[in-house]
Amino acid sequence: MTEPASTEAIDIARLQQWIGRTEAHTDRVTAVPVAALSATLDRDDPPAQPGDALPPLWHWLYFLPIHRHSDLGPDGHAQRGGFLPPVPLPRRMWAGGRLEFHHPLRIGETITRVSRIVDVKLKLGRTGALVFVLVRHEIGDSDGVALTEEHDIVYRDRPAPTDSAPAAPLAPADSIWQRTIHPDDVLLFRYSALTFNGHRIHYERRYATEVEGYPGLVVHGPLIATLLLDLLRRSLPQSRVTQFQFRAVSPLFDTAPFTVCGKPALAGFVSLWAQNAAGGLAMEATAALS
């Protein structure tokens, strides 16, 4: 095991040359991925029809990262140095995000996503260097920008064998809505397939435990966020989400069930969170409703 990277070992000036880079993609909101995610989340939705609104966060079913197999790195992600900066740290995680929903995307529409690297920062954490990359997406249709999204990515070293994971802070104990999720390997595989996510920590147990050092398969951050808003849809089916922000606090694994929770907050807002089997906070989120 190599020593954790120090801030001096990372050429942050070179990585910051990626700030301002943009890329654009076009896709079509088709019905099959919607039906597949509905089944994966164990929903009983009617078949999607042209013109139906796409539920919030389900735009992650589109603009998939389609890289040639020979362009993948050993972890199943695309090799570093394309649109995202070539950060020389082995672990890449979805740390959180902020979204504004201006109007719904609809089944049958052609949509465009314009992405831009907004910032690249270097910090020193408990186990070594951390690099944070902020990406801003604007997704639009024929009526203009439908949603804006800021996506926080964090890169970090693998922990040393002697490092112990910090205990997750306690989650709130006053939920009004809650649902227990059993993150078996079928659920994680189906979500990986739907989002064309090749990251091996989500479906290959031997890699996740022996190479990355995790206790089990890792539950996708976007899946947890999607389950939080799915809980909101089940609890307040007539509500419309106008803003959503979420932050990953501690990882979840397929070794135990977890619970998605929520409650009304200030007028027009709800608090949502995910907690592990021991009551530790895994993700916290806030949604604004109209």
Side-chain angles (χ1 to χ4, degrees), residues 55-60 94-102 134-137 146-152 177 191 220-233 239-248 260-263 268-274 282-290:
L57 300 188
W58 289 34
H59 67 283
W60 289 336
W94 194 315
R98 293 154 300 284
L99 300 98
E100 293 189 23
F101 300 93
H102 308 296
L134 173 59
V135 183
R136 180 179 175 86
H137 305 288
L147 70 93
T148 56
E149 174 180 3
E150 289 188 340
H151 173 192
D152 300 322
W177 320 302
Y191 189 77
H220 315 64
L223 173 58
I224 301 169
T226 299
L227 285 164
L228 290 178
L229 280 190
D230 181 65
L231 176 70
L232 178 58
R233 289 179 65 207
S239 63
R240 176 176 174 264
V241 177
T242 58
Q243 296 179 3
F244 181 66
Q245 60 181 8
F246 66 99
R247 183 177 71 92
V260 287
C261 306
K263 65 177 181 179
F269 289 85
V270 298
S271 294
L272 300 161
W273 65 94
M283 180 174 287
E284 58 185 359
T286 302
L289 310 179
S290 64

Side-chain angles (χ1 to χ4, degrees), residues 18 71 73 75 77-82 84-92 155:
W18 265 252
D71 291 335
D75 62 356
H77 272 312
Q79 296 183 46
R80 312 292 174 89
L84 292 173
V87 179
L89 294 170
R91 283 188 173 179
R92 186 177 91 184
Y155 297 81

